């Protein structure tokens, strides 16, 4: 089975801090994604990457950046955390085949105080 | 731009009955795909079923089936013989192919919360 592991299940940070969310997948997937999930809004794509050192903006990239130095790891960075970034963050990965589903991690519930 | 609409914020069903969760979509791409995911209260997203726009038959996976009506742009999920463990949030998502043709991203609907009553 595909395993997508997010480094923290719950995280509490302060306004203005630089926050790193880490995601690792073990199935050699080319594509990796970061979403945020908010009640009533569903999942919204922040950034994605389809190769090492490649990144593309999703629908809501403002206030975020990403890093993909190795194929198995995709990091989401909040450069200066703000309270409106309190949310559930979900990482996903997939093969480069359009019928293949994205596989998700368990999510990180991030609170910015 | 692609859009996914799930009009039912919440649904209730009796155990052992069938339930249909609605999903309509809008896209100008002739080739597209639709996914359904389940999210229990624990938070993980579980892939359920996939339907490609050129697939000749409606997709089925165990108790899950997809009622795909291309002309109406709908891809409703049917769960047969509901179980208490089916209580969860259900998301419909549409695939948008990226440049190069082999990679894609998903656009999600807002979800439907299904509650199965004993």
């Amino acid at each position: 089975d595909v395993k997508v592991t997010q480094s923290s299940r719950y995280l509490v940070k302060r306004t203005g801090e630089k926050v790193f969310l880490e995601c690792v997948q073990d199935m050699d997937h080319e594509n990796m994604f970061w979403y945020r999930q908010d009640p009533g809004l569903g999942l919204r794509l922040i950034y994605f990457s389809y190769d090492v050192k490649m990144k593309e903006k999703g629908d809501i990239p403002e206030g975020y950046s990403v890093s993909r130095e190795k194929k198995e790891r995709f990091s989401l960075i909040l450069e200066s955390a703000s309270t409106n970034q309190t949310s559930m963050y979900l990482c996903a990965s997939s093969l480069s085949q359009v019928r293949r589903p994205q596989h998700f991690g368990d999510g990180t519930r991030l609170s910015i105080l | 731009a692609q859009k996914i609409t799930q009009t039912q914020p919440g649904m209730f069903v009796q155990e052992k009955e069938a339930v249909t969760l609605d999903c309509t979509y809008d896209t100008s791409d002739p080739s597209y795909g639709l996914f359904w995911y389940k999210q229990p209260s624990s938070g993980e997203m579980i892939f359920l079923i996939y339907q490609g726009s050129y697939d000749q038959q409606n997709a089925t996976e165990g108790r899950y089936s997809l009622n795909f009506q291309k002309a109406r742009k709908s891809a409703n999920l049917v769960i047969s013989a509901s179980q208490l463990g089916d209580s969860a949030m259900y998301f419909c998502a549409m695939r948008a192919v990226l440049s190069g043709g082999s990679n894609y991203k998903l656009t999600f609907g807002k979800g439907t919360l299904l509650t199965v009553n004993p």
Side-chain angles (χ1 to χ4, degrees):
Chain A
D1 276 354
V2 177
K3 185 69 175 176
V4 179
T5 303
Q6 295 185 229
S7 52
S8 304
R9 195 85 162 99
Y10 300 94
L11 204 55
V12 180
K13 296 291 183 180
R14 296 208 172 272
T15 305
E17 281 192 67
K18 190 168 186 176
V19 181
F20 292 85
L21 302 183
E22 306 287 346
C23 175
V24 177
Q25 50 92 5
D26 66 355
M27 286 302 293
D28 205 33
H29 284 175
E30 296 88 354
N31 304 328
M32 296 190 76
F33 308 83
W34 274 107
Y35 296 89
R36 65 175 283 176
Q37 182 180 11
D38 301 289
L41 296 179
L43 278 74
R44 293 178 292 167
L45 182 63
I46 304 172
Y47 267 97
F48 59 97
S49 167
Y50 51 86
D51 202 352
V52 175
K53 297 191 185 294
M54 302 292 287
K55 60 184 179 184
E56 295 282 344
K57 292 180 180 179
D59 300 317
I60 50 165
E62 296 78 17
Y64 304 93
S65 62
V66 290
S67 172
R68 192 164 182 204
E69 296 296 318
K70 294 184 178 181
K71 191 174 185 179
E72 67 270 19
R73 185 180 298 270
F74 193 34
S75 303
L76 180 69
I77 303 158
L78 286 66
E79 296 288 346
S80 178
S82 63
T83 54
N84 62 12
Q85 292 177 309
T86 291
S87 186
M88 169 73 96
Y89 290 86
L90 291 161
C91 174
S93 72
S94 74
L95 288 169
S96 287
Q97 297 173 23
V98 293
R99 296 186 69 91
R100 295 287 190 165
Q102 292 182 11
H103 298 270
F104 285 80
D106 289 343
T108 296
R109 193 167 292 280
L110 175 65
S111 296
I112 307 296
L113 304 179
Chain B
Q2 299 191 328
K3 187 176 180 182
I4 290 282
T5 302
Q6 295 180 255
T7 57
Q8 306 153 314
M11 287 281 286
F12 294 88
V13 66
Q14 289 297 123
E15 196 177 6
K16 299 181 185 177
E17 292 185 353
V19 62
T20 297
L21 306 183
D22 293 342
C23 173
T24 58
Y25 60 89
D26 190 20
T27 181
S28 56
D29 293 332
S31 175
Y32 54 89
L34 295 144
F35 296 82
W36 276 92
Y37 283 85
K38 172 185 177 181
Q39 187 180 42
S41 56
S42 51
E44 73 271 28
M45 293 282 284
I46 302 166
F47 165 69
L48 297 178
I49 197 167
Y50 170 81
Q51 179 82 45
S53 58
Y54 293 123
D55 291 346
Q56 294 298 311
Q57 293 186 330
N58 286 350
T60 61
E61 288 286 347
R63 293 187 299 112
Y64 304 108
S65 61
L66 212 150
N67 183 4
F68 182 49
Q69 298 187 45
K70 199 169 181 177
R72 298 180 64 182
K73 294 191 175 181
S74 72
N76 299 337
L77 177 70
V78 180
I79 305 174
S80 62
S82 296
Q83 302 172 356
L84 296 178
D86 293 335
S87 293
M89 184 72 85
Y90 288 81
F91 291 96
C92 179
M94 170 176 281
R95 180 196 78 210
V97 178
L98 303 172
S99 59
S102 60
N103 300 303
Y104 70 91
K105 65 174 184 177
L106 291 179
T107 298
F108 283 82
K110 295 182 179 181
T112 296
L113 181 62
L114 177 65
T115 303
V116 180
N117 294 318

